Amino acid sequence: MTRLRAGIGTSALDDAAAAGRAAAAAAAADLAARGAQGQPALVIVYTSVRYDLPVLLSGVREVTGETLLVGATTAAHFQNGDLTPARTGVSVMIMTSGSYRFGVASGEGLRADAFEVGRAVARAARAAVESSGPAESHNALLLLTDGLAGHQQALLNGIHRVAGAAVPVVGGAAGDDRRMQETFVFCGDRVLTDATVAVWITSAEPLHVVTGHGWRPVGLPLLVTRVEESVVHEIAGRPAMDVYEEHLRYGGVMPDVESDGLQPSRRAVHALAVIEPSGAQLIRSIYLAPDGLIRSFTPLPHYAAVQVVSGVPDDLLAASKGVVDEVFAGREPGVLLAFSCLTRLEVLAERSHEEPARIQAAAGTTPTFGFYTLGEFARTTTVAGFHNATIAAIAL
C-alpha cells in the first residue's frame, strides 16, 4: 500500500501574496524531503484573518497550481508541534493521496438552512470522489465551516442524512484571531463566509475519528429546561446563572466575551457536558455575554441532560497523548490532522504552546497539522457530533 506523505510550511511575512508563496514553497520542499511519490492531491491552508485572503490564496496557488485546496481562518494554528498564535501567520500543508482519494465541495447559506447545506455538500463531495471511480469500503468527511454561523449540529444532521452512521465526520469551525466578528473557509481560490467546505475521503482501510478533552464532572446531571437560540435561560427549572454560581464556588470561573473576544483565565473554567444516551459527553463552552446572559456557541437541545464540568491545564494537556495513541492504533500514518478549541487556549493561557508540543511528541515523526477552532466536529457513532473544548483527530 502506498503511504500518504505530507509536507508543511509556514510564513509570517506581512505581504499576503509573499506569505502564501513562502508557506506553500516551504511545504513543497518539506514534501520532497520526505520522499513523496506522485503528484500532490490535497492542499490545506490555515491562516490569520490579518491578510488579504484572496491574495494570500493566489500566492499559495502560484506554487500548488490546480491541486484541490481547502482551508480556514483560525483562532491560532499549529504544525509539527509549534503553535502559530492568533494574528501571526499562515501555514500550508501539501499531501499526496497515498491509498486515499479526495473529493471536495462547498456550500453557502448556513444561516438560512444549515441542514440543507449539509445534505447538499455531502452529496457533492461524495460525487466528486465517485467521478474518478467508485467509493471504497471506508469513508470519512473532513468538514471546515464558518465558526459564527451557528446551528452546527443542524449542518451535521444534514450530512448524516446523506452519509449515514458509517461515515465519521471530523473537522472544525473557523476562527478570526479571537475577534468574534467574521470567519472564512476556502475552496480552491474562493474565500467564503456563511459557508462550509467538505472533503470526502475514501479508503480501502478503516478511517477512525477520535476525541478527548480532559474535563471533569462537577455535581450531578441536570436537565436544560429553557433555551432560546444560544441563550441558556434555565437549568433544572432554575435560572442558569444561579446554577452556575453554585458551581463557581468550587474555584472555577466562567469566561466573559467582550469586544476583543474571549478573555483568558488562569484558574479552572467551567463548561457544560451534554450527556449522550451512550454515556459519551459532548462539551459545550458557556460564556457570560456583555448582556449579562449565559450563552453557548451553538444552541443546546431542550431537555438535554447536562453536567457542569471543570477544566484545569494539567487535565486538558493530559488528554493529548490518549487521542494520538487511539487514532494511531499501532499504525504509522502519513499525517495527523487535529482540531482543538479556542476555549482550551483560554484555559491553558501561558501554557498554550504545550498542547501542540504534546500532540507532536505522541505522534513521533509523523507530521501533525491543525488549528484552534470555534467548535470541533467529531461525529462517530451517533447523529450528534459538534463539540467545544475538545481535541478531535484523524490519521491518514
Side-chain angles (χ1 to χ4, degrees):
M1 180 182 295
T2 304
R3 185 181 179 189
L4 178 150
R5 299 288 182 178
I8 299 170
T10 67
S11 176
L13 294 173
D14 290 331
D15 180 80
R21 283 193 301 269
D30 186 35
L31 184 65
R34 293 179 183 274
Q37 298 179 353
Q39 294 297 311
L42 183 66
V43 178
I44 302 179
V45 179
Y46 296 143
T47 183
S48 163
V49 294
R50 75 183 182 97
Y51 292 112
D52 183 321
L53 298 174
V55 173
L56 179 80
L57 292 185
S58 179
V60 172
R61 285 166 69 85
E62 285 183 33
V63 177
T64 63
E66 297 301 312
T67 303
L68 295 175
L69 184 150
V70 299
T73 54
T74 75
H77 44 274
F78 53 93
Q79 55 286 318
N80 293 334
D82 295 327
L83 176 68
T84 299
R87 306 178 180 89
T88 304
V90 55
S91 295
V92 175
M93 183 182 68
I94 305 174
M95 68 171 74
T96 61
S97 59
S99 59
Y100 305 95
R101 287 187 291 126
F102 307 108
V104 172
S106 63
E108 299 178 73
L110 289 176
R111 289 178 174 84
D113 193 343
F115 178 84
E116 185 54 41
V117 171
R119 288 207 303 180
V121 79
R123 287 180 181 138
R126 183 176 61 187
V129 161
E130 292 174 342
S131 68
S132 62
E136 300 284 357
S137 303
H138 302 281
N139 300 274
L141 197 72
L142 171 64
L143 190 65
L144 305 173
T145 191
D146 183 341
L148 299 177
H151 299 288
Q152 308 292 9
Q153 183 57 53
L155 174 66
L156 283 177
N157 293 348
I159 290 170
H160 187 270
R161 181 66 63 90
V162 174
V167 179
V169 179
V170 67
D176 63 348
D177 294 334
R178 309 187 187 196
R179 298 175 184 177
M180 310 299 286
Q181 295 173 358
E182 189 174 26
T183 71
F184 303 91
V185 294
F186 315 136
C187 186
D189 59 1
R190 293 183 298 151
V191 177
L192 306 171
T193 191
D194 191 28
T196 191
V197 175
V199 182
W200 192 283
I201 307 169
T202 189
S203 169
E205 299 295 325
L207 292 161
H208 300 293
V209 171
V210 173
T211 63
H213 53 71
W215 293 80
R216 296 175 179 265
V218 179
L220 298 174
L222 303 167
L223 289 181
V224 175
T225 48
R226 185 181 168 217
V227 293
E228 184 178 356
E229 290 296 325
S230 66
V231 179
V232 184
H233 290 287
E234 290 183 359
I235 299 175
R238 300 172 53 210
M241 181 61 75
D242 291 353
V243 175
Y244 249 91
E245 286 178 345
E246 288 179 359
H247 289 85
L248 298 184
R249 297 171 190 167
Y250 298 97
V253 297
M254 179 166 46
D256 294 332
V257 170
E258 299 179 353
S259 60
D260 60 347
L262 292 173
Q263 303 302 303
S265 166
R266 287 162 176 77
R267 294 180 288 159
V269 171
H270 284 129
L272 287 179
V274 179
I275 303 172
E276 291 291 285
S278 65
Q281 294 180 330
L282 276 69
I283 305 299
R284 288 284 185 270
S285 295
I286 301 295
Y287 62 90
L288 180 62
D291 57 12
L293 297 173
I294 293 180
R295 294 178 179 269
S296 58
F297 286 108
T298 195
L300 292 170
H302 283 88
Y303 300 107
V306 298
Q307 195 164 15
V308 177
V309 292
S310 179
V312 296
D314 285 342
D315 289 344
L316 269 59
L317 289 169
S320 304
K321 186 177 186 304
V323 169
V324 177
D325 288 348
E326 185 176 351
V327 79
F328 275 35
R331 300 184 298 128
E332 293 185 9
V335 68
L336 173 72
L337 302 179
F339 306 87
S340 192
C341 189
L342 172 58
T343 299
R344 297 177 72 84
L345 277 183
E346 301 304 331
V347 179
L348 295 175
E350 71 275 2
R351 299 180 64 185
S352 58
H353 65 283
E354 292 186 34
E355 184 169 84
R358 291 198 184 200
I359 291 172
Q360 186 61 58
T365 59
T366 299
T368 61
F369 194 64
F371 77 97
Y372 283 93
T373 75
L374 299 188
E376 305 75 58
F377 296 107
R379 197 217 60 75
T380 52
T381 58
T382 66
V383 176
F386 183 67
H387 306 248
N388 298 130
T390 296
I391 303 173
I394 188 170
L396 302 176

